[in-house]
Amino acid sequence: MTEQEILKGNKIIAEFEGISYWVNYDEDYSRLMSVVEKISKFKFEDGENAYFRTFGMINIETGMFMSRINRCQVFEAETLKTAIWLSVVDWCRQDYRYEKVKTQRNLSIAI
């Protein structure tokens, strides 16, 4: 991952969280877990809750940690924290959630 991709991912999470200041979610496990808890409380239109289908499993072929929120893709990384971060960024950027939150809060965080 490039520095620019990390900055963009942290911006997406911050906007989802409704904050206008910078947080390094990729480094701050505590802050990242607070977003995981928020995601876990999300309820889809059909009544199913969001949850991590894959959390900390290791791909036996690659040796990489895996993370996946239901209805989203699987992410792999060398560390569990990074795999979770990738899943959270993906969740937050989903059009039907991210754009709605971004519009409601009218946020912009400069990179």
Side-chain angles (χ1 to χ4, degrees), residues 31-48:
R31 293 298 294 261
L32 182 60
M33 287 298 101
S34 70
V35 182
V36 168
E37 288 176 0
K38 184 175 184 178
I39 290 169
S40 297
K41 293 177 183 176
F42 181 87
K43 194 171 282 246
F44 293 102
E45 290 179 4
D46 64 5
E48 182 181 27

Side-chain angles (χ1 to χ4, degrees), residues 8-66:
K8 184 177 180 181
N10 284 335
K11 177 182 176 184
I12 289 169
I13 297 171
E15 288 180 343
F16 176 80
E17 285 289 281
I19 59 175
S20 58
Y21 56 89
W22 195 255
V23 175
N24 288 328
Y25 292 98
D26 62 304
E27 297 174 1
D28 189 337
Y29 195 73
S30 177
R31 293 298 294 261
L32 182 60
M33 287 298 101
S34 70
V35 182
V36 168
E37 288 176 0
K38 184 175 184 178
I39 290 169
S40 297
K41 293 177 183 176
F42 181 87
K43 194 171 282 246
F44 293 102
E45 290 179 4
D46 64 5
E48 182 181 27
N49 277 54
Y51 58 91
F52 277 79
R53 294 185 66 96
T54 307
F55 189 92
M57 292 177 172
I58 296 177
N59 181 327
I60 58 171
E61 294 176 3
T62 65
M64 305 281 264
F65 285 98
M66 298 185 296

Side-chain angles (χ1 to χ4, degrees), residues 77-93:
E78 290 184 10
T79 67
L80 178 57
K81 181 170 62 172
T82 300
I84 294 167
W85 182 84
L86 289 166
S87 290
V88 168
V89 170
D90 182 60
W91 170 270
C92 293
R93 89 168 85 208

